[in-house]
Amino acid sequence: MTTGAGEPVAAPRTAVRVSSRVLTVVLALALAGLLWALYMLTRPWQPPGAVKVETALLSLPHDPGQAPRRVALPHILDDEGPAWWDQARYRITWPTGLSYVVGDTPRLAMLMPRVGTRLRVLLNGQEIYQFGWDAAPEASVLGHAVPHLVALPAALLTAQPADNELVVEVQARVLERSGLWPIVLGPQAMLQERHQSLLMWQVTGSWVMAALALFIGALALLLWRALGERLFALMAVAALALGARTALVTAVEPPLPLDWLILLRWSAFGVYVGFFVLTIEELFGRRLAWVRQGAWATVALSPLWTAAALWLQSYDLIRVWAALMTVFAAVALLAAVVDQWRARALLQQHLLVALVALFTWLTALRDFAVIRLNLPGDGDLRWMTVGSLVLTLTLGWVLVERAAAWAQTVHRLNATLAQRIAQRERELNQAFAQLRAAERQRVIEEERRRLMRDMHDGLGSQLVQTLNLVRNPNAQLDRDALATMLRQALDELRLTLDSFEPMDGDLPAILGTLRRRLGPALESVGLELRWEVQDVPPLAMLDSRGVLHLFRCLQEIFANVVKHARARRITVSTWVREDHVILAIEDDGVGLPPAEQRPAEGRGLRNVLARAARLGAMVRFYDAHPGTGIEFAFPVGQGRPVSDSGWTR
């Protein structure tokens, strides 16, 4: 088995075993029996009471100077000179063995298995049947594609059988095997059964074979697109060409000019032969260069050779080309089998396909000899119909077997892949578990360091100042000042602990906690705290670290108001503006100095801006008239605006 790129797929390459040989022998015997059945079935047919006419008197209606002559049937007008390629008349001598009594109930009929291309039948000067005779000259009518059963009206028969004149006129078409084959005269009921058999064999069987070949070709194309194996593509082209060629041969009134019809028919046959050889060569996998070159030459030369035959009006060229393709197919098949046998790589599938191909080739050879070369035999029933049907079914079997092998390979690869994925998934889960444990440990360590840093900067600083005051022997201890310092240290500790409370980004709740802690201290220094906090959407950035950053920012702002603003009131408000949550702190103090008198940003202000930047909030300072306002804008959603650290008017 090979892939579309020609790479081998793992498959057993063992030689044919005993059981395979038994199956091969059984198939060979079955095909030989089928050949014998075809021979017995297609022996010359002449039932009791009917007479087969195998000679006729031939003349040219348009050339009275041409003397009539007796010809043997089948008679092919392509083998005569150009004068016979227009219209010919066959006069049938009434057979002496066929008698009748005028007025008898049994009706007589004439069966013409093959005649054409256009025809009409005259009985005693009266036209009793015609097929395409009156059609337009440019129309394509192929009367030889179907058998014809013509009833002989009793009213036109003479009292003496020998006095009857039966004439078949034919409009010939070169390269279409125009002419007349042996005819049978006898009771209509008896000939009716034969006519139905011929229709079933030649017409219905051919259309069934064409449909089956087209179906196999379409299926092979689908498998080729799904699996990418070149064998399916080659098989698809061969089957589609066979189906197209069979349809073109079987059609009675094709919608094409006859020259184009002949060109397409033989071109399709060349494609069928060439790609059939390529399919066999690909199936055997031997890569015989001369076989591939011959196959592609067959495909390329078929339309050129047919065009030359049309131009020269020579049916001998068609015969030669058909013989060359038949011989090439046989030699290529034999070479592939011998090459495989020498390499000890002849598998059961190779033998079975080779046997069926040989059977099909023999049926084609028989039809070529009987129909094309006029050798003895019954040309009414063609063996190629059965041979092509068996070959098409075999190609379908190869498709199914190859697809099943691919499916098994894919199933095995999927199972292996699933095992490897499961193993990798277990390894990844273990790695993720280790990473999660390490991440949890890292977060705990980071949170511990942050807590220690915040306690050192806030609570630690307060306690150190208080401790220095107590240790100073020269300092006069003020109990109220000492209590205030300890109270501030305690508030610092409480704020740090409050930041760890789960508040889910609820800004009003966070501000309420800060109010509870800092409100009494502000009121003790004479500052009124006005509360205008509204409900706002939760903010994802206000986790435990974000809450502490916000606490530190507001502590710094309140401390600056107490120290520098000389204010009596502080207003805290929140609202929503477009896609931002706004937090504003305003005082009614002295306000912002003029721009030219503003000092450089101090350490406290830098801390506010840095912490706000970590929160992803924008900061704006503005005149509150009177007093100063500071506005924090927190983005709602994924956006994190860049912090604005500039002073604004």
Side-chain angles (χ1 to χ4, degrees):
M1 182 184 300
T2 57
T3 62
E7 296 297 330
V9 175
R13 302 289 294 176
T14 58
V16 182
R17 297 191 177 102
V18 176
S19 59
S20 301
R21 292 175 181 173
V22 172
L23 180 61
T24 303
V25 171
V26 171
L27 178 63
L29 292 176
L31 293 177
L34 186 56
L35 284 175
W36 177 256
L38 288 174
Y39 169 74
M40 296 300 294
L41 183 65
T42 56
R43 287 184 301 173
W45 178 84
Q46 185 175 341
V51 179
K52 189 173 186 179
V53 179
E54 297 182 307
T55 62
L57 192 63
L58 177 65
S59 61
L60 290 178
H62 301 304
D63 187 5
Q66 184 78 25
R69 59 189 176 92
R70 187 161 295 278
V71 295
L73 304 181
H75 178 257
I76 310 302
L77 293 173
D78 298 68
D79 298 329
E80 301 286 353
W84 300 85
W85 293 349
D86 182 20
Q87 184 174 335
R89 175 180 295 167
Y90 295 92
R91 184 177 183 278
I92 309 300
T93 301
W94 194 268
T96 56
L98 183 63
S99 60
Y100 61 88
V101 176
V102 176
D104 282 355
T105 302
R107 299 188 61 183
L108 296 179
M110 177 175 64
L111 177 62
M112 295 180 289
R114 184 178 176 91
V115 60
T117 57
R118 304 185 187 197
L119 67 137
R120 69 172 180 170
V121 179
L122 296 90
L123 178 59
N124 296 324
Q126 297 292 322
E127 181 181 303
I128 59 174
Y129 180 81
Q130 66 94 10
F131 191 90
W133 188 265
D134 298 328
E138 66 275 7
S140 298
V141 179
L142 304 179
H144 57 278
V146 293
H148 302 271
L149 180 65
V150 181
L152 303 180
L156 297 180
L157 294 174
T158 62
Q160 296 297 324
D163 295 338
N164 289 303
E165 183 183 62
L166 188 60
V167 175
V168 179
E169 292 188 351
V170 172
Q171 291 182 13
R173 178 62 171 89
V174 69
L175 304 186
E176 273 299 305
R177 302 287 289 165
S178 303
L180 181 64
W181 269 248
I183 65 176
V184 181
L185 295 172
Q188 182 175 353
M190 182 182 301
L191 299 184
Q192 183 75 32
E193 296 180 2
R194 175 68 171 178
H195 181 254
Q196 292 298 323
S197 298
L198 292 176
L199 282 176
M200 180 65 68
W201 191 279
Q202 294 182 2
V203 181
T204 306
S206 296
W207 282 115
V208 169
M209 192 266 289
L212 184 60
L214 294 175
F215 172 75
I216 295 296
L219 180 61
L221 278 180
L222 292 176
L223 291 175
W224 171 67
R225 290 193 60 184
L227 303 178
E229 188 181 5
R230 183 169 51 245
L231 175 65
F232 292 120
L234 298 175
M235 197 179 301
V237 177
L240 292 175
L242 174 62
R245 197 257 181 184
T246 305
L248 291 173
V249 170
T250 310
V252 175
E253 297 183 25
L256 290 171
L258 274 176
D259 287 344
W260 282 103
L261 179 67
I262 295 171
L263 182 64
L264 289 176
R265 183 188 299 164
W266 283 98
S267 298
F269 189 68
V271 172
Y272 163 62
V273 172
F275 275 85
F276 170 73
V277 171
L278 289 173
T279 300
I280 296 297
E281 193 264 350
E282 179 74 16
L283 177 66
F284 283 28
R286 301 310 298 170
R287 300 293 189 272
L288 300 176
W290 69 269
V291 172
R292 293 198 305 273
Q293 294 169 1
W296 287 113
T298 301
V299 174
L301 290 178
S302 286
L304 300 178
W305 197 292
T306 306
L310 286 169
W311 183 55
L312 297 174
Q313 298 286 282
S314 173
Y315 190 76
D316 288 336
L317 284 178
I318 295 294
R319 284 195 180 104
V320 170
W321 183 240
L324 289 176
M325 286 192 290
T326 303
V327 171
F328 169 68
V331 173
L333 177 62
L334 180 62
V337 173
V338 171
D339 191 61
Q340 286 288 92
W341 179 74
R342 287 178 177 176
R344 298 183 180 275
L346 196 61
L347 304 180
Q348 175 187 341
Q349 186 185 72
H350 299 154
L351 278 178
L352 297 182
V353 173
L355 285 174
V356 173
L358 177 61
F359 169 79
T360 305
W361 180 82
L362 290 175
T363 61
L365 181 64
R366 180 267 178 189
D367 285 354
F368 176 78
V370 173
I371 298 176
R372 304 294 176 189
L373 302 181
N374 300 328
L375 295 181
D378 185 3
D380 302 348
L381 303 177
R382 299 164 197 163
W383 292 16
M384 186 65 180
T385 301
V386 176
S388 299
L389 187 61
V390 173
L391 178 61
T392 304
L393 292 175
T394 304
L395 291 178
W397 168 75
V398 171
L399 282 177
V400 172
E401 187 180 64
R402 283 296 176 117
W406 271 94
Q408 292 176 358
T409 302
V410 171
H411 178 72
R412 184 171 60 255
L413 293 176
N414 286 339
T416 303
L417 182 60
Q419 293 176 356
R420 293 181 178 178
I421 290 176
Q423 181 181 355
R424 294 294 184 270
E425 186 177 2
R426 288 193 297 269
E427 295 174 355
L428 288 175
N429 287 336
Q430 294 175 358
F432 286 153
Q434 295 174 357
L435 288 175
R436 283 195 297 268
E439 178 66 17
R440 284 196 299 268
Q441 186 64 30
R442 186 191 65 80
V443 171
I444 292 173
E445 290 294 327
E446 182 179 347
E447 197 68 16
R448 183 180 64 82
R449 288 193 296 270
R450 183 185 66 82
L451 179 59
M452 293 177 62
R453 183 173 59 252
D454 288 338
M455 293 184 68
H456 176 271
D457 294 342
L459 179 61
S461 177
Q462 293 287 343
L463 292 177
V464 168
Q465 292 179 14
T466 304
L467 182 61
N468 289 336
L469 180 63
V470 172
R471 284 180 174 179
N472 189 354
N474 299 322
Q476 294 181 356
L477 292 178
D478 185 345
R479 296 175 62 87
D480 293 338
L482 185 60
T484 300
M485 295 178 68
L486 291 174
R487 188 182 305 109
Q488 290 177 352
L490 185 59
D491 289 341
E492 187 70 28
L493 177 61
R494 288 172 176 170
L495 282 177
T496 301
L497 296 177
D498 287 341
S499 67
F500 289 96
E501 292 291 332
M503 301 185 192
D504 298 325
D506 188 352
L507 182 58
I510 296 170
L511 295 176
T513 300
L514 185 66
R515 178 185 183 186
R516 187 173 69 254
R517 300 300 181 193
L518 300 182
L522 294 176
E523 293 175 358
S524 66
V525 296
L527 278 174
E528 176 189 356
L529 185 58
R530 179 174 294 179
W531 202 255
E532 298 179 358
V533 175
Q534 304 176 12
D535 288 336
V536 293
L539 300 172
M541 69 280 293
L542 294 182
D543 53 5
S544 61
R545 280 175 286 185
V547 169
L548 191 58
H549 282 312
L550 182 59
F551 281 171
R552 297 299 185 206
C553 291
L554 297 181
Q555 273 186 302
E556 187 67 36
I557 292 171
F558 290 157
N560 283 336
V561 172
V562 171
K563 293 178 182 180
H564 307 294
R566 299 196 296 275
R568 296 191 301 271
R569 183 177 64 252
I570 295 179
T571 304
V572 178
S573 56
T574 60
W575 69 91
V576 177
R577 183 175 63 203
E578 296 179 353
D579 56 348
H580 287 77
V581 171
I582 306 301
L583 166 62
I585 300 97
E586 296 182 356
D587 64 70
D588 60 350
V590 297
L592 293 172
E596 62 275 5
Q597 299 179 11
R598 294 174 185 169
E601 297 177 355
R603 179 179 178 183
L605 182 57
R606 286 198 302 271
N607 286 339
V608 170
L609 296 176
R611 291 181 183 274
R614 291 191 176 186
L615 292 173
M618 293 185 296
V619 180
R620 183 173 70 93
F621 295 87
Y622 59 92
D623 289 327
H625 303 293
T628 303
I630 302 176
E631 180 181 280
F632 294 83
F634 298 94
V636 177
Q638 299 298 322
R640 297 185 67 85
V642 179
S643 177
D644 182 6
S645 61
W647 290 82
T648 58
R649 294 182 181 276

